[in-house]
Amino acid sequence: MMKIAVFGAGVIGKLRCDTIRDNPETELVAVVDPDLERAKGAAAGTAAVVEPDFRRVLGGQDLDAVVVSGPVHVHEEQCIAAFEAGCHVLCEKPLS
């Protein structure tokens, strides 16, 4: 089972969460967004942790991969931190 976190719970991030949730070979472990209500909505129907700070997820979860789906200005920091934590990374948009 591949354990995945999604950073960013906007429209596209929620779609990624839905896809992860619906795939029997993947588990949504965490959803990160500064808007906790939006993150809770994206994590609905899962046991995923909802967190405003991506660093806590990288430091406290057993993860295989991260989907970076937030605003462009946070992509570089989040991608590099996820790589340093040993995760595979899917970044939605070009790095800023």
Side-chain angles (χ1 to χ4, degrees):
M1 172 92 44
M2 181 175 261
K3 296 179 179 184
I4 304 172
V6 176
F7 295 174
V11 174
I12 301 303
K14 183 176 180 328
L15 287 174
R16 300 300 173 241
C17 291
D18 292 345
T19 299
I20 295 164
R21 183 193 65 233
D22 293 344
N23 184 331
E25 296 182 18
T26 59
E27 177 185 355
L28 182 62
V29 175
V31 179
V32 175
D33 198 284
D35 181 335
L36 291 179
E37 290 306 311
R38 186 167 53 188
K40 287 177 188 175
T46 73
V49 170
V50 172
E51 175 63 56
D53 186 346
F54 74 91
R55 291 170 205 86
R56 282 190 242 172
V57 169
L58 291 173
Q61 298 294 321
D62 179 22
L63 293 174
D64 296 305
V66 171
V67 176
V68 176
S69 192
V72 174
H73 71 276
V74 298
H75 286 186
E76 181 179 11
E77 180 183 16
Q78 291 180 347
C79 288
I80 290 171
F83 286 133
E84 289 175 345
C87 295
H88 297 280
V89 175
L90 169 64
C91 186
E92 293 289 346
K93 302 168 191 151
L95 292 174
S96 59

